[in-house]
Amino acid sequence: KVEMMRVAFVTGSSAGARAKAGRPGGGAAARCGARTTKVRRATVLQMVQKVNAAELDQIMGSLGTTPLIVDFYATWCGPCLYLGPELEKLEAKYGDKVKIIKVDTEEEDDLASALRIRGLPTIIFVKDNELKYRMEGALSAEDLSQIVEAAFFNKSEEEIEVETAS
């Protein structure tokens, strides 16, 4: 089932130390872009759907022509926590025109390994069951919107700049 999730930001040790501590068996895991970032305590209710591997497969099979953004993240990753609200802004902007989902790489490590997710966050942009764009790192909603417009709606940089300037 698809669930809403609550993410609690934590203050404390480095993201790298949290990643190693949370990794069973010390196997290979994705790296986070931040090493010693401290973030203030807050609780954020995220509306972007969190899915598992089976649900992702089901969504991919039923999308039709709806573009899909998949955010591969970890709860200990500072840039991933920054990206959450930015994806919420994208979801508010595009509504049903673009589907946005999240996959926790700690819970779905087999999927992350199969897709060669090495850095976090990793975001993939899929349209018509074809990978249009893949990136690692966190961007603002405005920057992500430009990628969405170019990858999904075939708009040039000039058309995007004119729309954002208006």
Side-chain angles (χ1 to χ4, degrees):
K1 77 180 186 191
V2 178
E3 64 183 68
M4 302 303 238
M5 64 181 216
R6 289 175 63 83
V7 175
F9 295 132
V10 293
T11 303
S13 63
S14 73
R18 284 192 300 274
K20 290 176 187 167
R23 192 177 331 140
R31 292 182 287 100
C32 177
R35 290 201 176 261
T36 57
T37 303
K38 288 187 177 183
V39 291
R40 64 178 181 226
R41 288 193 180 274
T43 301
V44 178
L45 179 63
Q46 296 188 348
M47 302 304 290
V48 172
Q49 292 178 328
K50 177 186 169 194
V51 300
N52 61 33
E55 293 165 336
L56 176 61
D57 190 43
Q58 181 181 16
I59 289 169
M60 293 288 292
S62 65
L63 270 179
T65 60
T66 304
L68 174 69
I69 298 173
V70 184
D71 170 27
F72 292 91
Y73 75 101
T75 57
W76 48 260
C77 168
C80 299
L81 297 175
Y82 165 80
L83 187 61
E86 300 304 303
L87 291 173
E88 296 294 333
K89 292 174 188 174
L90 268 189
E91 191 168 63
K93 178 177 180 176
Y94 290 103
D96 293 338
K97 293 179 186 174
V98 176
K99 180 145 185 80
I100 304 173
I101 58 177
K102 298 175 74 79
V103 175
D104 187 335
T105 58
E106 294 291 308
E107 293 175 7
E108 300 295 332
D109 56 342
D110 289 341
L111 176 63
S113 180
L115 295 175
R116 296 185 178 136
I117 305 296
R118 302 286 186 254
L120 295 176
T122 294
I123 306 168
I124 62 170
F125 299 78
V126 178
K127 184 176 180 187
D128 299 325
N129 285 323
E130 181 182 323
L131 180 65
K132 295 293 186 179
Y133 192 76
R134 177 181 170 141
M135 60 165 277
E136 292 178 359
L139 293 176
S140 68
E142 294 80 21
D143 291 336
L144 289 169
S145 181
Q146 290 183 359
I147 295 170
V148 167
E149 292 293 331
F152 295 153
F153 305 117
N154 299 321
K155 294 194 176 172
S156 67
E157 285 185 36
E158 293 81 20
E159 290 174 304
I160 295 168
E161 287 177 16
V162 169
E163 284 182 16
T164 57
S166 307

